[in-house]
Amino acid sequence: MIVIVSQENDSSTNDVMDWLYAWNKKVVRINETDTINSFSLQIDDNDLSLIFRCGNKEFKISDVDYFWFRRGGFVFDVSFLTKIEPHFYTYLKEHLSDECNTMKDFLVYLLNKKPSLGNYYQGNANKLISLYVAQKVGMEIPNTIISSAKEDLLHFYKNQKSSITKFIQDVLCFNYQGYRYYTNTSLVEKNDIKKMRGTFFPSLLQKEIHKRYELRIFYLKGKCYSMAIFSQEDKQTVIDFRNYNDQIPNRYVPYKLPHNIEDKIDKFMHKMNLDTGSIDMIVTPDLKYIFLEVNPVGQYDMVSVPCNYYLHKKIAQTISNNE
């Protein structure tokens, strides 16, 4: 049995599952909304038995042949806490959360002993660690500062000539009173910093990297599937291609990385304990390759479809061959 942990709205998971079904594989999918409502573990001198239920689906760890962590995670059902007296609710919730995490960690530990794809605990890889590790394996990264002091940012801005700012880890996105609010990558003006107080919440600045084009690279078990994004000629996308221009979309084309860059990416992914993920890079006008970030659970449709890589089939083959 192939067990897939994903999110209900992730259509990329569906496409991989279609291939597995076509090859008559037994596949079971667990979404974040499928809370674990029953858990039974027995360890004795001779054997280990673990059975858990999500909704009406029952899983025996001994029946699992392959584990794919796509995105999402395991969630235990603690809805019964709503019936607890409010005075005790906070204490019990914190305590049971620790209990659930212990059971979840052991479940993931056992699943990771199976042939697997994806890293459950690296679904949201720390971007600062990623930058540090990328530099250590020989990749170039943008000059970066995170500081809560106005003087530090002004000094950095002066030295870099041109800087951008973006979120340290994750995008903030929410709807309020009919409007959509989100953070993005933006150019920094000197006056923006001058208007700030002397100290503030730590903020990230990076040297602006002028680009020939951007790269999105999907990494799968040692192989790189790369795409060039010609975003530099459009004012809307020149800083970040994710400021999509739906009227005149950027051009996407297949791209072959130099061997030395592929080798560095492979070393980086191994040190990050990742066997799959989406990597963003910039190629400068003088053909330097600058690493930006890795998203272990990033979408691969946007690389697969324009470049005819058929990544859904390749992922399904990886799972099927190792099952």
Side-chain angles (χ1 to χ4, degrees), residues 157-293:
Y157 179 87
K158 180 180 178 181
N159 287 341
Q160 305 306 320
K161 310 301 181 186
S162 181
S163 301
I164 59 97
T165 185
K166 62 181 182 180
F167 40 88
I168 295 173
Q169 180 65 27
D170 292 322
V171 176
L172 172 67
C173 184
F174 61 92
N175 296 321
Y176 179 68
Q177 294 185 345
Y179 292 92
R180 188 169 182 81
Y181 297 84
Y182 61 93
T183 55
N184 61 6
T185 302
S186 304
L187 273 175
V188 176
E189 300 292 341
K190 189 174 183 180
N191 284 338
D192 295 333
I193 305 175
K194 284 187 171 181
K195 290 176 184 176
M196 299 172 76
R197 294 175 298 176
T199 58
F200 36 79
F201 186 83
S203 299
L204 182 146
L205 265 63
Q206 285 184 330
K207 176 182 176 64
E208 182 192 7
I209 307 297
H210 296 288
K211 60 191 176 185
R212 182 181 291 249
Y213 38 77
E214 294 182 63
L215 298 179
R216 168 60 66 89
I217 303 153
F218 183 72
Y219 177 92
L220 177 63
K221 295 274 189 179
K223 291 198 68 175
C224 293
Y225 301 90
S226 306
M227 177 178 74
I229 306 166
F230 293 92
S231 56
Q232 70 281 2
E233 299 298 333
D234 189 329
K235 290 182 179 179
Q236 184 170 322
T237 61
V238 65
I239 300 300
D240 189 338
F241 79 89
R242 288 168 289 196
N243 298 321
Y244 302 111
N245 186 337
D246 295 325
Q247 301 301 314
I248 309 175
N250 292 155
R251 183 165 161 249
Y252 298 164
V253 300
Y255 190 84
K256 178 60 180 172
L257 288 168
H259 291 303
N260 67 316
I261 300 299
E262 286 191 340
D263 289 343
K264 289 175 182 178
I265 289 174
D266 194 49
K267 289 178 184 176
F268 165 80
M269 294 296 279
H270 276 90
K271 285 187 176 293
M272 291 293 292
N273 197 23
L274 296 171
D275 53 18
T276 185
S278 296
I279 296 163
D280 289 334
M281 300 186 80
I282 286 176
V283 179
T284 67
D286 56 351
L287 296 179
K288 290 182 179 178
Y289 288 76
I290 312 296
F291 173 90
L292 299 180
E293 63 182 62

Side-chain angles (χ1 to χ4, degrees), residues 111-129:
L111 288 171
N112 281 338
K113 286 186 167 295
K114 310 282 185 176
S116 62
L117 178 67
N119 186 328
Y120 188 94
Y121 294 108
Q122 281 279 56
N124 192 19
N126 187 299
K127 292 186 178 179
L128 302 182
I129 295 175

Side-chain angles (χ1 to χ4, degrees), residues 73-138:
F74 291 110
V75 179
F76 279 79
D77 182 8
V78 291
S79 58
F80 63 88
L81 282 175
T82 57
K83 301 176 183 178
I84 302 296
E85 186 179 332
H87 178 76
F88 299 107
Y89 176 81
T90 301
Y91 303 104
L92 283 172
K93 184 179 180 181
E94 183 177 340
H95 172 71
L96 292 184
S97 176
D98 290 340
E99 299 283 85
C100 289
N101 284 336
T102 298
M103 291 185 287
K104 178 193 70 178
D105 289 348
F106 187 64
L107 172 59
V108 174
Y109 170 80
L110 294 178
L111 288 171
N112 281 338
K113 286 186 167 295
K114 310 282 185 176
S116 62
L117 178 67
N119 186 328
Y120 188 94
Y121 294 108
Q122 281 279 56
N124 192 19
N126 187 299
K127 292 186 178 179
L128 302 182
I129 295 175
S130 298
L131 284 173
Y132 177 77
V133 172
Q135 186 183 56
K136 287 299 179 184
V137 300

